[in-house]
Each structure stands twice: as structure tokens, then as C-alpha cells.
């Protein structure tokens, strides 16, 4: 019997909404194998990232320093708001954005 999903049971992976209980990171991912990646943790208030511009800039600078191609981050505030709407529609929450070097030549879906 499949259990019904709760609001906090989801995440975005490569722009796709995925269930948290389904693996999305390959065992061959450079971030998993060798720690090749960066992350940014940010506060959300009423579903919106606080100081997103600063967090975005810091993440992009770190990725450039590591030589990791930066993904398009334009959708992140809306994706964070979508996740927060289910888990913490008002008040505060915490978001985490992780970018890894990935698996060479193989984008992953969920």
C-alpha cells in the first residue's frame, strides 16, 4: 500500500519536482564520490528566500572557483516558494541548494 505524500516529501532535482524518498543522485556523481560541489543554505520567510541575490552570487562565485558549470538559477526562488507552500506556508523555513559536478555526460532525472 502506497502512503500518501506529505507536504515536506518533495524536492527539486534538475528543475523537476521529485519525491524525497526516491533516489535522485547517482552513485557516480562527482559530488557524491569526491565532494565536487557547493551548496548554499538560505532562510525563507513566508515562502520567499531572504537575501537571495547574495546567496546566488556566493554560490556562483564558489562554482566558478571550483570550475563547475553553474546551472540556471532563475527558477530557484519560485521552486523554493513552491516547496515552502506545502511544508511551511507562512512563517519561516530553511532551503538548501546543492550543485555538484554531476556525472559526466549524463544528466539525471527523477
Amino acid at each position: 500500500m502506497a502512503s500518501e505524500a506529505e507536504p515536506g516529501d518533495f524536492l527539486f532535482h534538475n528543475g523537476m519536482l521529485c519525491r524525497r524518498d526516491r533516489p535522485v543522485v547517482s552513485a557516480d556523481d562527482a559530488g557524491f564520490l569526491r565532494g565536487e560541489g557547493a551548496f548554499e543554505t538560505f532562510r525563507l520567510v513566508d515562502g520567499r528566500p531572504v537575501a537571495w541575490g547574495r546567496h546566488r552570487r556566493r554560490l556562483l562565485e564558489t562554482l566558478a572557483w571550483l570550475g563547475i558549470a553553474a546551472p540556471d538559477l532563475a527558477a530557484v526562488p519560485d521552486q523554493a516558494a513552491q516547496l515552502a507552500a506545502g511544508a511551511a506556508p507562512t512563517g519561516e523555513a530553511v532551503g538548501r541548494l546543492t550543485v555538484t559536478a554531476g556525472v559526466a555526460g549524463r544528466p539525471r532525472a527523477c
Side-chain angles (χ1 to χ4, degrees), residues 11-14 18-19 22-26 108-110:
L11 55 83
F12 275 93
H13 180 263
N14 291 338
C18 304
R19 286 189 55 125
R22 299 204 174 112
V24 293
V25 177
S26 169
R108 299 244 325 144
C110 53

Side-chain angles (χ1 to χ4, degrees), residues 14-34:
N14 291 338
M16 296 173 54
L17 187 64
C18 304
R19 286 189 55 125
R20 293 176 64 94
D21 61 357
R22 299 204 174 112
V24 293
V25 177
S26 169
D28 295 333
D29 186 283
F32 180 76
L33 287 173
R34 296 179 296 279

Side-chain angles (χ1 to χ4, degrees), residues 69-85:
D72 181 2
L73 301 177
V76 171
D78 290 336
Q79 291 169 340
Q82 185 178 345
L83 293 173

Side-chain angles (χ1 to χ4, degrees), residues 19-81:
R19 286 189 55 125
R20 293 176 64 94
D21 61 357
R22 299 204 174 112
V24 293
V25 177
S26 169
D28 295 333
D29 186 283
F32 180 76
L33 287 173
R34 296 179 296 279
E36 293 180 31
F39 68 91
E40 193 67 26
T41 303
F42 50 91
R43 184 171 149 227
L44 293 109
V45 175
D46 295 330
R48 302 308 298 178
V50 174
W52 172 242
R54 266 188 309 187
H55 289 288
R56 179 183 175 281
R57 187 171 42 258
R58 184 171 41 230
L59 180 61
L60 292 173
E61 288 171 357
T62 302
L63 293 172
W65 185 81
L66 293 170
I68 296 173
D72 181 2
L73 301 177
V76 171
D78 290 336
Q79 291 169 340

Side-chain angles (χ1 to χ4, degrees), residues 84-100:
T90 59
E92 295 188 25
V94 175
R96 177 178 165 139
L97 175 62
T98 302
V99 178
T100 71

